[in-house]
PDB file of all heavy atoms in Angstrom:
ATOM      1  N   THR A   1      95.775  89.403 101.227  1.00 97.00           N
ATOM      2  CA  THR A   1      94.768  88.298 101.273  1.00 97.00           C
ATOM      3  C   THR A   1      93.759  88.380 100.158  1.00 97.00           C
ATOM      4  O   THR A   1      93.115  87.362  99.833  1.00 97.00           O
ATOM      5  CB  THR A   1      93.947  88.335 102.621  1.00 97.00           C
ATOM      6  OG1 THR A   1      93.317  89.569 102.786  1.00 97.00           O
ATOM      7  CG2 THR A   1      94.909  88.057 103.754  1.00 97.00           C
ATOM      8  N   GLN A   2      93.560  89.595  99.528  1.00 96.00           N
ATOM      9  CA  GLN A   2      92.507  89.630  98.441  1.00 96.00           C
ATOM     10  C   GLN A   2      93.129  89.418  97.158  1.00 96.00           C
ATOM     11  O   GLN A   2      94.252  89.810  96.849  1.00 96.00           O
ATOM     12  CB  GLN A   2      91.867  90.964  98.517  1.00 96.00           C
ATOM     13  CG  GLN A   2      91.031  91.182  99.808  1.00 96.00           C
ATOM     14  CD  GLN A   2      90.236  92.534  99.745  1.00 96.00           C
ATOM     15  OE1 GLN A   2      90.238  93.250  98.789  1.00 96.00           O
ATOM     16  NE2 GLN A   2      89.608  92.764 100.849  1.00 96.00           N
ATOM     17  N   PRO A   3      92.411  88.896  96.205  1.00 95.00           N
ATOM     18  CA  PRO A   3      92.926  88.730  94.838  1.00 95.00           C
ATOM     19  C   PRO A   3      93.160  90.046  94.181  1.00 95.00           C
ATOM     20  O   PRO A   3      92.511  91.050  94.469  1.00 95.00           O
ATOM     21  CB  PRO A   3      91.846  87.923  94.104  1.00 95.00           C
ATOM     22  CG  PRO A   3      90.668  87.876  94.982  1.00 95.00           C
ATOM     23  CD  PRO A   3      91.021  88.391  96.351  1.00 95.00           C
ATOM     24  N   LYS A   4      94.070  90.085  93.213  1.00 94.00           N
ATOM     25  CA  LYS A   4      94.442  91.275  92.523  1.00 94.00           C
ATOM     26  C   LYS A   4      93.338  91.944  91.809  1.00 94.00           C
ATOM     27  O   LYS A   4      93.148  93.197  91.848  1.00 94.00           O
ATOM     28  CB  LYS A   4      95.588  91.005  91.522  1.00 94.00           C
ATOM     29  CG  LYS A   4      96.083  92.244  90.827  1.00 94.00           C
ATOM     30  CD  LYS A   4      97.193  91.868  89.877  1.00 94.00           C
ATOM     31  CE  LYS A   4      97.552  93.054  89.011  1.00 94.00           C
ATOM     32  NZ  LYS A   4      98.587  92.732  88.000  1.00 94.00           N
ATOM     33  N   ASP A   5      92.408  91.101  91.214  1.00 93.00           N
ATOM     34  CA  ASP A   5      91.257  91.733  90.530  1.00 93.00           C
ATOM     35  C   ASP A   5      90.298  92.464  91.505  1.00 93.00           C
ATOM     36  O   ASP A   5      89.779  93.516  91.131  1.00 93.00           O
ATOM     37  CB  ASP A   5      90.456  90.618  89.864  1.00 93.00           C
ATOM     38  CG  ASP A   5      91.211  89.908  88.757  1.00 93.00           C
ATOM     39  OD1 ASP A   5      92.197  90.561  88.213  1.00 93.00           O
ATOM     40  OD2 ASP A   5      90.916  88.753  88.454  1.00 93.00           O
ATOM     41  N   LYS A   6      90.179  92.020  92.662  1.00 96.00           N
ATOM     42  CA  LYS A   6      89.302  92.677  93.563  1.00 96.00           C
ATOM     43  C   LYS A   6      89.944  93.932  94.113  1.00 96.00           C
ATOM     44  O   LYS A   6      89.307  94.948  94.282  1.00 96.00           O
ATOM     45  CB  LYS A   6      88.920  91.746  94.801  1.00 96.00           C
ATOM     46  CG  LYS A   6      87.977  92.357  95.732  1.00 96.00           C
ATOM     47  CD  LYS A   6      87.535  91.354  96.784  1.00 96.00           C
ATOM     48  CE  LYS A   6      86.494  92.004  97.681  1.00 96.00           C
ATOM     49  NZ  LYS A   6      86.045  91.209  98.785  1.00 96.00           N
ATOM     50  N   LEU A   7      91.274  93.825  94.306  1.00 96.00           N
ATOM     51  CA  LEU A   7      92.057  95.001  94.756  1.00 96.00           C
ATOM     52  C   LEU A   7      92.036  96.135  93.701  1.00 96.00           C
ATOM     53  O   LEU A   7      92.002  97.348  94.076  1.00 96.00           O
ATOM     54  CB  LEU A   7      93.515  94.681  95.072  1.00 96.00           C
ATOM     55  CG  LEU A   7      93.709  93.862  96.407  1.00 96.00           C
ATOM     56  CD1 LEU A   7      95.177  93.446  96.451  1.00 96.00           C
ATOM     57  CD2 LEU A   7      93.342  94.709  97.577  1.00 96.00           C
ATOM     58  N   ALA A   8      92.070  95.752  92.472  1.00 94.00           N
ATOM     59  CA  ALA A   8      92.056  96.754  91.315  1.00 94.00           C
ATOM     60  C   ALA A   8      90.924  97.698  91.334  1.00 94.00           C
ATOM     61  O   ALA A   8      90.999  98.802  90.880  1.00 94.00           O
ATOM     62  CB  ALA A   8      92.243  95.995  90.008  1.00 94.00           C
ATOM     63  N   GLU A   9      89.822  97.237  91.932  1.00 93.00           N
ATOM     64  CA  GLU A   9      88.632  98.125  91.981  1.00 93.00           C
ATOM     65  C   GLU A   9      88.865  99.293  92.899  1.00 93.00           C
ATOM     66  O   GLU A   9      88.385 100.417  92.595  1.00 93.00           O
ATOM     67  CB  GLU A   9      87.399  97.346  92.550  1.00 93.00           C
ATOM     68  CG  GLU A   9      86.927  96.147  91.622  1.00 93.00           C
ATOM     69  CD  GLU A   9      85.992  95.225  92.293  1.00 93.00           C
ATOM     70  OE1 GLU A   9      85.482  95.568  93.365  1.00 93.00           O
ATOM     71  OE2 GLU A   9      85.708  94.152  91.752  1.00 93.00           O
ATOM     72  N   LYS A  10      89.630  99.107  93.979  1.00 93.00           N
ATOM     73  CA  LYS A  10      89.809 100.174  94.942  1.00 93.00           C
ATOM     74  C   LYS A  10      91.238 100.801  94.740  1.00 93.00           C
ATOM     75  O   LYS A  10      91.426 101.956  95.004  1.00 93.00           O
ATOM     76  CB  LYS A  10      89.838  99.582  96.376  1.00 93.00           C
ATOM     77  CG  LYS A  10      88.501  99.042  96.808  1.00 93.00           C
ATOM     78  CD  LYS A  10      88.593  98.438  98.165  1.00 93.00           C
ATOM     79  CE  LYS A  10      87.302  97.646  98.465  1.00 93.00           C
ATOM     80  NZ  LYS A  10      87.417  96.922  99.746  1.00 93.00           N
ATOM     81  N   LEU A  11      92.164  99.981  94.277  1.00 94.00           N
ATOM     82  CA  LEU A  11      93.525 100.436  94.107  1.00 94.00           C
ATOM     83  C   LEU A  11      93.996 100.295  92.737  1.00 94.00           C
ATOM     84  O   LEU A  11      94.618  99.212  92.338  1.00 94.00           O
ATOM     85  CB  LEU A  11      94.450  99.658  95.073  1.00 94.00           C
ATOM     86  CG  LEU A  11      94.056  99.579  96.502  1.00 94.00           C
ATOM     87  CD1 LEU A  11      94.923  98.559  97.304  1.00 94.00           C
ATOM     88  CD2 LEU A  11      94.195 100.970  97.145  1.00 94.00           C
ATOM     89  N   PRO A  12      93.801 101.235  91.803  1.00 93.00           N
ATOM     90  CA  PRO A  12      94.101 101.060  90.373  1.00 93.00           C
ATOM     91  C   PRO A  12      95.599 100.771  90.081  1.00 93.00           C
ATOM     92  O   PRO A  12      95.978 100.217  89.087  1.00 93.00           O
ATOM     93  CB  PRO A  12      93.653 102.324  89.711  1.00 93.00           C
ATOM     94  CG  PRO A  12      93.215 103.243  90.831  1.00 93.00           C
ATOM     95  CD  PRO A  12      93.160 102.530  92.066  1.00 93.00           C
ATOM     96  N   TRP A  13      96.518 101.173  91.015  1.00 95.00           N
ATOM     97  CA  TRP A  13      97.924 100.997  90.785  1.00 95.00           C
ATOM     98  C   TRP A  13      98.322  99.516  90.793  1.00 95.00           C
ATOM     99  O   TRP A  13      99.349  99.136  90.216  1.00 95.00           O
ATOM    100  CB  TRP A  13      98.734 101.750  91.843  1.00 95.00           C
ATOM    101  CG  TRP A  13      98.465 101.277  93.226  1.00 95.00           C
ATOM    102  CD1 TRP A  13      97.562 101.842  94.146  1.00 95.00           C
ATOM    103  CD2 TRP A  13      99.067 100.111  93.941  1.00 95.00           C
ATOM    104  NE1 TRP A  13      97.671 101.101  95.316  1.00 95.00           N
ATOM    105  CE2 TRP A  13      98.550 100.050  95.194  1.00 95.00           C
ATOM    106  CE3 TRP A  13     100.029  99.249  93.504  1.00 95.00           C
ATOM    107  CZ2 TRP A  13      98.958  99.140  96.191  1.00 95.00           C
ATOM    108  CZ3 TRP A  13     100.422  98.272  94.438  1.00 95.00           C
ATOM    109  CH2 TRP A  13      99.872  98.252  95.726  1.00 95.00           C
ATOM    110  N   VAL A  14      97.450  98.607  91.314  1.00 95.00           N
ATOM    111  CA  VAL A  14      97.865  97.212  91.288  1.00 95.00           C
ATOM    112  C   VAL A  14      97.963  96.649  89.861  1.00 95.00           C
ATOM    113  O   VAL A  14      98.666  95.609  89.712  1.00 95.00           O
ATOM    114  CB  VAL A  14      97.017  96.320  92.203  1.00 95.00           C
ATOM    115  CG1 VAL A  14      96.972  96.846  93.643  1.00 95.00           C
ATOM    116  CG2 VAL A  14      95.594  96.268  91.681  1.00 95.00           C
ATOM    117  N   ALA A  15      97.422  97.257  88.926  1.00 93.00           N
ATOM    118  CA  ALA A  15      97.453  96.810  87.560  1.00 93.00           C
ATOM    119  C   ALA A  15      98.856  96.843  87.024  1.00 93.00           C
ATOM    120  O   ALA A  15      99.203  96.110  86.165  1.00 93.00           O
ATOM    121  CB  ALA A  15      96.536  97.675  86.648  1.00 93.00           C
ATOM    122  N   ASP A  16      99.765  97.707  87.606  1.00 94.00           N
ATOM    123  CA  ASP A  16     101.144  97.879  87.190  1.00 94.00           C
ATOM    124  C   ASP A  16     102.026  96.781  87.779  1.00 94.00           C
ATOM    125  O   ASP A  16     103.206  96.730  87.432  1.00 94.00           O
ATOM    126  CB  ASP A  16     101.653  99.230  87.600  1.00 94.00           C
ATOM    127  CG  ASP A  16     100.920 100.394  86.837  1.00 94.00           C
ATOM    128  OD1 ASP A  16     100.196 100.048  85.937  1.00 94.00           O
ATOM    129  OD2 ASP A  16     101.091 101.529  87.230  1.00 94.00           O
ATOM    130  N   PHE A  17     101.528  95.991  88.686  1.00 96.00           N
ATOM    131  CA  PHE A  17     102.397  95.048  89.403  1.00 96.00           C
ATOM    132  C   PHE A  17     101.804  93.626  89.344  1.00 96.00           C
ATOM    133  O   PHE A  17     100.652  93.433  89.169  1.00 96.00           O
ATOM    134  CB  PHE A  17     102.506  95.470  90.926  1.00 96.00           C
ATOM    135  CG  PHE A  17     103.154  96.758  91.075  1.00 96.00           C
ATOM    136  CD1 PHE A  17     102.457  98.013  91.217  1.00 96.00           C
ATOM    137  CD2 PHE A  17     104.605  96.897  91.143  1.00 96.00           C
ATOM    138  CE1 PHE A  17     103.051  99.192  91.324  1.00 96.00           C
ATOM    139  CE2 PHE A  17     105.250  98.093  91.261  1.00 96.00           C
ATOM    140  CZ  PHE A  17     104.407  99.286  91.422  1.00 96.00           C
ATOM    141  N   SER A  18     102.733  92.663  89.577  1.00 96.00           N
ATOM    142  CA  SER A  18     102.277  91.271  89.544  1.00 96.00           C
ATOM    143  C   SER A  18     101.526  90.968  90.901  1.00 96.00           C
ATOM    144  O   SER A  18     101.771  91.673  91.875  1.00 96.00           O
ATOM    145  CB  SER A  18     103.475  90.276  89.450  1.00 96.00           C
ATOM    146  OG  SER A  18     104.161  90.397  90.618  1.00 96.00           O
ATOM    147  N   PRO A  19     100.707  89.967  90.884  1.00 96.00           N
ATOM    148  CA  PRO A  19     100.025  89.557  92.129  1.00 96.00           C
ATOM    149  C   PRO A  19     101.038  89.271  93.259  1.00 96.00           C
ATOM    150  O   PRO A  19     100.770  89.636  94.422  1.00 96.00           O
ATOM    151  CB  PRO A  19      99.203  88.365  91.798  1.00 96.00           C
ATOM    152  CG  PRO A  19      98.976  88.438  90.336  1.00 96.00           C
ATOM    153  CD  PRO A  19     100.163  89.110  89.808  1.00 96.00           C
ATOM    154  N   ALA A  20     102.107  88.655  92.940  1.00 97.00           N
ATOM    155  CA  ALA A  20     103.149  88.364  93.971  1.00 97.00           C
ATOM    156  C   ALA A  20     103.739  89.612  94.568  1.00 97.00           C
ATOM    157  O   ALA A  20     104.003  89.718  95.796  1.00 97.00           O
ATOM    158  CB  ALA A  20     104.284  87.529  93.434  1.00 97.00           C
ATOM    159  N   THR A  21     103.943  90.620  93.757  1.00 97.00           N
ATOM    160  CA  THR A  21     104.497  91.966  94.253  1.00 97.00           C
ATOM    161  C   THR A  21     103.492  92.640  95.121  1.00 97.00           C
ATOM    162  O   THR A  21     103.864  93.113  96.207  1.00 97.00           O
ATOM    163  CB  THR A  21     104.921  92.822  93.038  1.00 97.00           C
ATOM    164  OG1 THR A  21     105.909  92.120  92.260  1.00 97.00           O
ATOM    165  CG2 THR A  21     105.495  94.146  93.509  1.00 97.00           C
ATOM    166  N   VAL A  22     102.278  92.641  94.750  1.00 97.00           N
ATOM    167  CA  VAL A  22     101.157  93.209  95.546  1.00 97.00           C
ATOM    168  C   VAL A  22     101.084  92.509  96.842  1.00 97.00           C
ATOM    169  O   VAL A  22     100.980  93.200  97.990  1.00 97.00           O
ATOM    170  CB  VAL A  22      99.821  93.251  94.812  1.00 97.00           C
ATOM    171  CG1 VAL A  22      98.734  93.793  95.714  1.00 97.00           C
ATOM    172  CG2 VAL A  22      99.929  94.144  93.564  1.00 97.00           C
ATOM    173  N   ARG A  23     101.165  91.212  96.845  1.00 97.00           N
ATOM    174  CA  ARG A  23     101.020  90.459  98.079  1.00 97.00           C
ATOM    175  C   ARG A  23     102.341  90.737  98.939  1.00 97.00           C
ATOM    176  O   ARG A  23     102.199  90.930 100.234  1.00 97.00           O
ATOM    177  CB  ARG A  23     100.995  88.937  97.805  1.00 97.00           C
ATOM    178  CG  ARG A  23     100.838  88.094  99.048  1.00 97.00           C
ATOM    179  CD  ARG A  23     100.315  86.795  98.723  1.00 97.00           C
ATOM    180  NE  ARG A  23      98.851  86.945  98.591  1.00 97.00           N
ATOM    181  CZ  ARG A  23      98.164  86.439  97.569  1.00 97.00           C
ATOM    182  NH1 ARG A  23      98.764  85.770  96.621  1.00 97.00           N
ATOM    183  NH2 ARG A  23      96.880  86.654  97.478  1.00 97.00           N
ATOM    184  N   PHE A  24     103.447  90.824  98.378  1.00 97.00           N
ATOM    185  CA  PHE A  24     104.720  91.147  99.069  1.00 97.00           C
ATOM    186  C   PHE A  24     104.535  92.573  99.737  1.00 97.00           C
ATOM    187  O   PHE A  24     105.010  92.723 100.931  1.00 97.00           O
ATOM    188  CB  PHE A  24     105.883  91.121  98.157  1.00 97.00           C
ATOM    189  CG  PHE A  24     107.188  91.548  98.819  1.00 97.00           C
ATOM    190  CD1 PHE A  24     107.819  90.684  99.735  1.00 97.00           C
ATOM    191  CD2 PHE A  24     107.856  92.762  98.533  1.00 97.00           C
ATOM    192  CE1 PHE A  24     108.996  91.057 100.310  1.00 97.00           C
ATOM    193  CE2 PHE A  24     108.925  93.106  99.165  1.00 97.00           C
ATOM    194  CZ  PHE A  24     109.565  92.323 100.069  1.00 97.00           C
ATOM    195  N   ILE A  25     104.029  93.555  99.080  1.00 97.00           N
ATOM    196  CA  ILE A  25     103.821  94.857  99.670  1.00 97.00           C
ATOM    197  C   ILE A  25     102.960  94.713 100.837  1.00 97.00           C
ATOM    198  O   ILE A  25     103.178  95.402 101.904  1.00 97.00           O
ATOM    199  CB  ILE A  25     103.326  95.820  98.593  1.00 97.00           C
ATOM    200  CG1 ILE A  25     104.369  96.097  97.509  1.00 97.00           C
ATOM    201  CG2 ILE A  25     102.846  97.119  99.260  1.00 97.00           C
ATOM    202  CD1 ILE A  25     103.788  96.771  96.268  1.00 97.00           C
ATOM    203  N   GLY A  26     101.887  93.996 100.741  1.00 97.00           N
ATOM    204  CA  GLY A  26     100.981  93.768 101.879  1.00 97.00           C
ATOM    205  C   GLY A  26     101.689  93.175 103.051  1.00 97.00           C
ATOM    206  O   GLY A  26     101.458  93.580 104.208  1.00 97.00           O
ATOM    207  N   ILE A  27     102.471  92.129 102.836  1.00 97.00           N
ATOM    208  CA  ILE A  27     103.241  91.518 103.892  1.00 97.00           C
ATOM    209  C   ILE A  27     104.190  92.448 104.558  1.00 97.00           C
ATOM    210  O   ILE A  27     104.323  92.499 105.789  1.00 97.00           O
ATOM    211  CB  ILE A  27     103.932  90.231 103.405  1.00 97.00           C
ATOM    212  CG1 ILE A  27     102.857  89.188 103.024  1.00 97.00           C
ATOM    213  CG2 ILE A  27     104.843  89.717 104.449  1.00 97.00           C
ATOM    214  CD1 ILE A  27     103.338  87.989 102.270  1.00 97.00           C
ATOM    215  N   VAL A  28     104.885  93.243 103.729  1.00 97.00           N
ATOM    216  CA  VAL A  28     105.851  94.261 104.283  1.00 97.00           C
ATOM    217  C   VAL A  28     105.080  95.226 105.163  1.00 97.00           C
ATOM    218  O   VAL A  28     105.525  95.608 106.260  1.00 97.00           O
ATOM    219  CB  VAL A  28     106.598  94.877 103.112  1.00 97.00           C
ATOM    220  CG1 VAL A  28     107.321  96.119 103.632  1.00 97.00           C
ATOM    221  CG2 VAL A  28     107.583  93.926 102.497  1.00 97.00           C
ATOM    222  N   GLU A  29     103.905  95.770 104.726  1.00 97.00           N
ATOM    223  CA  GLU A  29     103.177  96.700 105.443  1.00 97.00           C
ATOM    224  C   GLU A  29     102.690  96.149 106.798  1.00 97.00           C
ATOM    225  O   GLU A  29     102.739  96.760 107.848  1.00 97.00           O
ATOM    226  CB  GLU A  29     102.015  97.290 104.599  1.00 97.00           C
ATOM    227  CG  GLU A  29     102.458  98.106 103.491  1.00 97.00           C
ATOM    228  CD  GLU A  29     101.268  98.610 102.655  1.00 97.00           C
ATOM    229  OE1 GLU A  29     100.146  98.018 102.740  1.00 97.00           O
ATOM    230  OE2 GLU A  29     101.556  99.551 101.795  1.00 97.00           O
ATOM    231  N   PHE A  30     102.224  94.811 106.735  1.00 98.00           N
ATOM    232  CA  PHE A  30     101.714  94.257 108.001  1.00 98.00           C
ATOM    233  C   PHE A  30     102.908  94.015 108.989  1.00 98.00           C
ATOM    234  O   PHE A  30     102.789  94.303 110.174  1.00 98.00           O
ATOM    235  CB  PHE A  30     101.055  92.955 107.694  1.00 98.00           C
ATOM    236  CG  PHE A  30     100.446  92.373 108.875  1.00 98.00           C
ATOM    237  CD1 PHE A  30      99.285  92.821 109.420  1.00 98.00           C
ATOM    238  CD2 PHE A  30     101.080  91.252 109.464  1.00 98.00           C
ATOM    239  CE1 PHE A  30      98.664  92.269 110.599  1.00 98.00           C
ATOM    240  CE2 PHE A  30     100.471  90.661 110.605  1.00 98.00           C
ATOM    241  CZ  PHE A  30      99.321  91.249 111.144  1.00 98.00           C
ATOM    242  N   ALA A  31     104.063  93.553 108.452  1.00 97.00           N
ATOM    243  CA  ALA A  31     105.221  93.336 109.343  1.00 97.00           C
ATOM    244  C   ALA A  31     105.665  94.635 109.951  1.00 97.00           C
ATOM    245  O   ALA A  31     106.004  94.679 111.143  1.00 97.00           O
ATOM    246  CB  ALA A  31     106.293  92.608 108.505  1.00 97.00           C
ATOM    247  N   ALA A  32     105.712  95.672 109.149  1.00 97.00           N
ATOM    248  CA  ALA A  32     106.068  97.032 109.676  1.00 97.00           C
ATOM    249  C   ALA A  32     105.160  97.494 110.748  1.00 97.00           C
ATOM    250  O   ALA A  32     105.526  98.112 111.757  1.00 97.00           O
ATOM    251  CB  ALA A  32     106.202  98.000 108.520  1.00 97.00           C
ATOM    252  N   ALA A  33     103.877  97.173 110.507  1.00 98.00           N
ATOM    253  CA  ALA A  33     102.818  97.624 111.530  1.00 98.00           C
ATOM    254  C   ALA A  33     103.148  96.957 112.895  1.00 98.00           C
ATOM    255  O   ALA A  33     103.092  97.547 113.911  1.00 98.00           O
ATOM    256  CB  ALA A  33     101.407  97.270 111.080  1.00 98.00           C
ATOM    257  N   LEU A  34     103.401  95.587 112.814  1.00 98.00           N
ATOM    258  CA  LEU A  34     103.777  94.927 114.007  1.00 98.00           C
ATOM    259  C   LEU A  34     105.060  95.492 114.648  1.00 98.00           C
ATOM    260  O   LEU A  34     105.219  95.687 115.855  1.00 98.00           O
ATOM    261  CB  LEU A  34     103.974  93.437 113.760  1.00 98.00           C
ATOM    262  CG  LEU A  34     102.792  92.675 113.351  1.00 98.00           C
ATOM    263  CD1 LEU A  34     103.151  91.236 112.992  1.00 98.00           C
ATOM    264  CD2 LEU A  34     101.705  92.707 114.432  1.00 98.00           C
ATOM    265  N   GLY A  35     106.062  95.875 113.769  1.00 97.00           N
ATOM    266  CA  GLY A  35     107.299  96.416 114.242  1.00 97.00           C
ATOM    267  C   GLY A  35     107.217  97.804 114.859  1.00 97.00           C
ATOM    268  O   GLY A  35     108.090  98.173 115.645  1.00 97.00           O
ATOM    269  N   LEU A  36     106.186  98.456 114.499  1.00 97.00           N
ATOM    270  CA  LEU A  36     105.999  99.833 115.066  1.00 97.00           C
ATOM    271  C   LEU A  36     105.536  99.679 116.590  1.00 97.00           C
ATOM    272  O   LEU A  36     105.787 100.633 117.345  1.00 97.00           O
ATOM    273  CB  LEU A  36     104.909 100.597 114.373  1.00 97.00           C
ATOM    274  CG  LEU A  36     105.358 101.202 113.064  1.00 97.00           C
ATOM    275  CD1 LEU A  36     104.110 101.862 112.300  1.00 97.00           C
ATOM    276  CD2 LEU A  36     106.423 102.248 113.173  1.00 97.00           C
ATOM    277  N   ILE A  37     104.906  98.647 116.913  1.00 97.00           N
ATOM    278  CA  ILE A  37     104.296  98.474 118.254  1.00 97.00           C
ATOM    279  C   ILE A  37     105.090  97.480 119.166  1.00 97.00           C
ATOM    280  O   ILE A  37     105.468  97.764 120.320  1.00 97.00           O
ATOM    281  CB  ILE A  37     102.829  98.126 118.215  1.00 97.00           C
ATOM    282  CG1 ILE A  37     102.081  99.195 117.418  1.00 97.00           C
ATOM    283  CG2 ILE A  37     102.246  97.999 119.540  1.00 97.00           C
ATOM    284  CD1 ILE A  37     102.036 100.602 118.070  1.00 97.00           C
ATOM    285  N   LEU A  38     105.169  96.217 118.649  1.00 97.00           N
ATOM    286  CA  LEU A  38     105.632  95.159 119.511  1.00 97.00           C
ATOM    287  C   LEU A  38     106.939  95.310 120.139  1.00 97.00           C
ATOM    288  O   LEU A  38     107.109  95.081 121.329  1.00 97.00           O
ATOM    289  CB  LEU A  38     105.471  93.810 118.756  1.00 97.00           C
ATOM    290  CG  LEU A  38     104.036  93.359 118.414  1.00 97.00           C
ATOM    291  CD1 LEU A  38     104.068  92.047 117.674  1.00 97.00           C
ATOM    292  CD2 LEU A  38     103.245  93.226 119.687  1.00 97.00           C
TER     293      LEU A  38
END
């Protein structure tokens, strides 16, 4: 949900990836979190 520039302040590794890839990683992590419980 956050723009890449804002994420780069806390997560310097995002500079190595496109905004779409970072967003995809976030979606995968959220989906896996749901999959661990539901």
Side-chain angles (χ1 to χ4, degrees):
T1 60
Q2 293 185 7
K4 183 179 171 181
D5 295 337
K6 186 172 180 182
L7 287 172
E9 297 169 8
K10 299 176 189 173
L11 308 169
W13 61 266
V14 301
D16 296 347
F17 296 93
S18 71
T21 301
V22 174
R23 182 158 284 129
F24 176 73
I25 292 168
I27 292 167
V28 166
E29 289 177 345
F30 185 75
L34 294 177
L36 283 173
I37 301 296
L38 292 180

